[in-house]
Amino acid sequence: QLLLHHWLTATEVDSRVLNLAARQRMLSERVLKQVMLVSSASSRDAQTRLTQDLRTSLDTWVTSQSALKSRDGTFDLRGQNSPEIQRLYAEISPHFDTVVALTEAYADQPSEVVAERLLAAQEQFLSGMDTIVGLYDREAKQRMRTLQEVATWLLLLLFVLLLTTVLFSGLFALRPVGKDPDHTFERLTKYGERLERLVQECTAALLAETSSQKATIEKLKDANLLLERLSLQDSLTELG
């Protein structure tokens, strides 16, 4: 049960990590779109409001990226990135830092030159982040397959124990067992029933978590598509 609980907790963390990593890509695109909105603001008041929105999005983006890289428990992202993901984060770190610096500079003083450099840096970041999201997804699926294999062996072991108990109970009932055979047989029967309940509980937990993990991955894809549409709608609203 402890091993199963450990693996189920790991899959929950995988879902949160994958969700936040996918959102990082969307936030990056949102930051760039807000930069463009600031440059096309129709009034000084509108530009001020859009700049505040830009800074808020940037702060969220920076905080989330730090949480993904360090896995220090922020946003409940317990665990550690694989060496390959750590390497990829190191590769995109200069592009990320450039986007942050240029966005802050643009928020203080809009400039066409800064916007062009920002776009180039963001493209490099997005390319690397796409690779990271894909790797997170593959690693999560591999852990799920491992969970299923471990759970299968555990269930097989429990079944063998249950079968052994039943056979032992039958053989024991045919031999003299002392002054209280009924009590002994009752204890063995209860033990078998507890093992059977444990098998049922483990099976139900595994099936529920597997279904939840698959549903979460599909929902992430739908959520990312919805975020793109909402971001585009916000941009059109502001420009309108």
Side-chain angles (χ1 to χ4, degrees), residues 7-210:
W7 280 106
L8 293 179
T9 300
T11 59
E12 292 177 1
V13 175
D14 283 338
S15 296
R16 287 191 289 271
V17 170
L18 184 58
N19 184 25
L20 188 60
R23 286 186 61 215
Q24 276 300 89
R25 191 187 189 287
M26 303 305 304
L27 278 174
S28 174
E29 294 178 341
R30 185 176 183 83
V31 165
L32 184 61
K33 290 176 181 178
Q34 287 177 326
V35 165
M36 300 306 162
L37 289 174
V38 169
S39 64
S40 61
S42 58
S43 66
R44 185 65 179 177
D45 290 341
Q47 187 179 58
T48 299
R49 176 171 55 82
L50 291 169
T51 300
Q52 291 175 346
D53 292 341
L54 173 60
R55 292 186 184 279
T56 299
S57 296
L58 183 64
D59 289 343
T60 302
W61 189 53
V62 171
T63 301
S64 299
Q65 191 74 4
S66 176
L68 285 168
K69 288 178 61 178
S70 63
R71 301 290 293 275
D72 58 359
T74 307
F75 302 126
D76 204 17
L77 303 181
R78 300 182 302 276
Q80 186 175 8
N81 291 322
S82 65
E84 179 63 14
I85 288 181
Q86 292 179 27
R87 184 187 66 79
L88 290 172
Y89 273 125
E91 285 185 0
I92 66 172
S93 183
H95 306 300
F96 175 81
D97 293 340
T98 298
V99 171
V100 173
L102 291 176
T103 301
E104 291 175 341
Y106 192 90
D108 293 332
Q109 184 62 48
S111 166
E112 184 175 345
V113 175
V114 172
E116 291 178 355
R117 292 176 58 197
L118 177 59
L119 178 60
Q122 193 221 33
E123 288 178 352
Q124 294 294 325
F125 170 81
L126 288 178
S127 177
M129 202 65 199
D130 282 343
T131 303
I132 290 174
V133 171
L135 187 54
Y136 271 136
D137 185 40
R138 290 193 297 275
E139 289 181 354
K141 290 178 179 178
Q142 178 59 47
R143 276 188 285 270
M144 176 56 66
R145 286 191 292 270
T146 302
L147 167 61
Q148 292 172 335
E149 292 173 1
V150 171
T152 298
W153 282 106
L154 285 176
L155 291 176
L156 180 61
L157 176 60
L158 289 173
F159 176 77
V160 171
L161 289 175
L162 178 60
L163 182 61
T164 302
T165 300
V166 173
L167 292 175
F168 177 76
S169 299
L171 293 174
F172 195 78
L174 298 177
R175 299 177 57 189
V177 292
K179 297 180 179 181
D180 194 4
D182 291 337
H183 177 67
T184 303
F185 184 77
E186 181 181 354
R187 290 179 58 190
L188 289 172
T189 301
K190 289 182 178 179
Y191 177 66
E193 291 174 349
R194 287 198 298 269
L195 281 176
E196 184 176 5
R197 285 197 299 271
L198 180 59
V199 170
Q200 293 173 348
E201 291 173 1
C202 291
T203 302
L206 175 63
L207 292 175
E209 187 59 31
T210 301

